[in-house]
Amino acid sequence: MSALFVAGAGTEIGKTYVTAALVRFLRARRRAVTALKPLASGVPPLDDPAFAESDTARLLAALGQAVTPEAVDACSPWRFRAPLAPDLAAAREGRSLDWRDLVAWCRDRIATSGGDLVIEGVGGLMSPIAPEATGLDWAKALGLPVLLVSGSYLGAISHALTAAETLRFHGIAMMAVIVSESEGAPTPPETVADAIARRVSAPVAVLKRGGSFPDALADFV
């Protein structure tokens, strides 16, 4: 692993939880790692106590970094308050988002990273990020292998397989699938993972709530 893109089969399924677990896994093995969530919606202002629960704050905690304005800007330069698709959230604030600037910024970080780099996407794979682009366009433009995150909720198998097939169709390498345990799901995450694993060629593993990054994927990262 040098750099990878973390994409979701849906929204609010645990991408940041998985990304943070991966960061802790790499740091425990004394590997230099940087985690970025360049684009984030639903982010409170930095001086709001609720910021501590934001995705950006969780990634900084996994990196062992203090929450400072500089660290926040370096991790998540495009932040919006409304919990909407980024282009809609930006419009609500009277701002615009040029996804080409986003891609250029990410490419610069990839080129200058001194170690492993993890870039977390936003929403689901096909969530709009700008008027002319989706998360799929973002992943495709960066050309990085994708770590696909699925939930274990009812319907997660279909969503994960649809996302996996979309990646395959567009020629994007899928490193692995991680099933992040959904609260209140009707079946164990292992059942969901087994169903997905029978239908994709990439390794599939489970990340339980409160658990650590799966050792089964150690050889892939």
Side-chain angles (χ1 to χ4, degrees):
M1 174 185 156
S2 177
L4 64 82
F5 188 86
V6 179
T11 302
E12 296 294 330
I13 57 174
K15 289 190 309 298
T16 300
Y17 190 83
V18 169
T19 303
L22 173 57
V23 168
R24 290 190 292 267
F25 178 88
L26 295 172
R27 291 185 65 216
R29 284 150 182 78
R30 301 185 182 278
R31 287 166 61 172
V33 58
T34 299
L36 305 173
K37 185 165 179 97
L39 185 56
S41 297
V43 183
L46 186 55
D47 58 359
D48 188 326
F51 184 85
E53 301 301 318
S54 69
D55 292 346
T56 303
R58 293 180 188 277
L59 291 184
L60 291 176
L63 289 164
Q65 296 181 13
V67 176
T68 65
E70 296 76 16
V72 170
D73 286 343
C75 181
S76 302
W78 286 272
R79 304 185 304 278
F80 306 103
R81 296 188 186 186
L84 302 170
D87 57 333
L88 299 178
R92 180 169 291 192
E93 297 179 18
R95 300 162 62 189
S96 60
L97 172 62
D98 188 328
W99 87 284
R100 292 166 296 187
D101 291 341
L102 171 66
V103 170
W105 186 89
C106 291
R107 285 176 175 168
D108 180 70
R109 297 308 181 276
I110 293 168
T112 58
S113 174
D116 293 322
L117 177 64
V118 185
I119 298 178
E120 181 188 336
V122 62
L125 182 63
M126 294 302 296
S127 293
I129 61 171
E132 72 277 33
T134 65
L136 174 66
D137 296 312
W138 185 9
K140 197 171 184 178
L142 296 183
L144 299 179
V146 167
L147 175 60
L148 182 64
V149 179
S150 167
S152 63
Y153 55 86
L154 184 64
I157 296 170
S158 177
H159 293 166
L161 294 178
T162 299
E165 178 63 15
T166 300
L167 291 172
R168 187 199 65 78
F169 180 82
H170 286 271
I172 301 174
M174 187 171 70
M175 185 196 82
V177 179
I178 290 187
V179 176
S180 179
E181 183 178 19
S182 302
E183 293 182 338
T187 57
E190 291 83 2
T191 301
V192 175
D194 287 345
I196 295 171
R198 289 196 297 271
R199 296 167 174 86
V200 300
S201 57
V204 182
V206 169
L207 182 59
K208 290 285 192 73
R209 288 281 168 177
S212 55
F213 191 79
D215 288 332
L217 297 182
D219 292 341
F220 297 91
V221 298

